[in-house]
Amino acid sequence: NATWVGVAFMLALAPVNVVVFSVVGKMRRKVLKYSDLRVKMMNEILAGIRIIKYYAWERPFAKEVGKIRDSELKALTRLAYVSAVGFSLILLSAPIIQPILVFLTYIKIQDEPLSAATAFT
């Protein structure tokens, strides 16, 4: 029966789904680590702003915050790309590929041609 091809396709996508979203979860934790570092650094800067201004340490602290922010942006960019590819592979292509596989299987295993009445019932 052609229906089982669709079921098998959905079952085959389950491990792919697990892998993609586990990678997304790891990347999200990395982004949060950089965000936490940046927020912690900004809190320390704001707590000691008088000393920083007194000794004119604005530029070195700005460079440190900039380095952390650059790392955070790189991690966010990678996360966005992986999420986009993962979502497009799993969530957008599956509803298109599955009926095609089911109908092709039906055409190959049935003696009668596929009609609109058969396809939509």
Side-chain angles (χ1 to χ4, degrees):
N1 198 339
T3 306
W4 295 111
V5 172
V7 172
F9 177 73
M10 294 306 285
L11 290 175
L13 273 184
V16 174
N17 197 3
V18 169
V19 169
V20 167
F21 288 107
S22 67
V23 169
V24 168
K26 289 176 187 174
M27 294 179 90
R28 184 70 188 140
R29 281 188 289 281
K30 192 173 185 180
V31 168
L32 289 174
K33 182 185 82 167
Y34 288 127
S35 297
D36 288 345
L37 281 173
R38 184 177 50 83
V39 168
K40 182 180 175 187
M41 173 81 80
M42 288 304 299
N43 284 337
E44 290 174 4
I45 289 170
L46 291 174
I49 193 71
R50 286 186 182 193
I51 295 169
I52 291 171
K53 290 284 190 181
Y54 182 74
Y55 289 110
W57 288 339
E58 293 97 343
R59 290 186 197 271
F61 278 96
K63 286 181 183 176
E64 287 299 314
V65 172
K67 287 179 189 176
I68 295 172
R69 182 66 182 150
D70 287 341
S71 299
E72 182 183 5
L73 284 176
K74 286 178 186 174
L76 272 170
T77 303
R78 278 190 233 114
L79 174 66
Y81 284 133
V82 169
S83 296
V85 169
F87 280 115
S88 65
L89 281 176
I90 295 167
L91 298 176
L92 299 177
S93 66
I96 297 168
I97 294 172
Q98 184 181 13
I100 292 171
L101 290 175
V102 170
F103 291 142
L104 285 175
T105 305
Y106 181 84
I107 291 169
K108 294 291 182 189
I109 64 173
Q110 294 295 329
D111 294 333
E112 58 193 57
L114 181 65
S115 64
T118 307
F120 292 107
T121 57

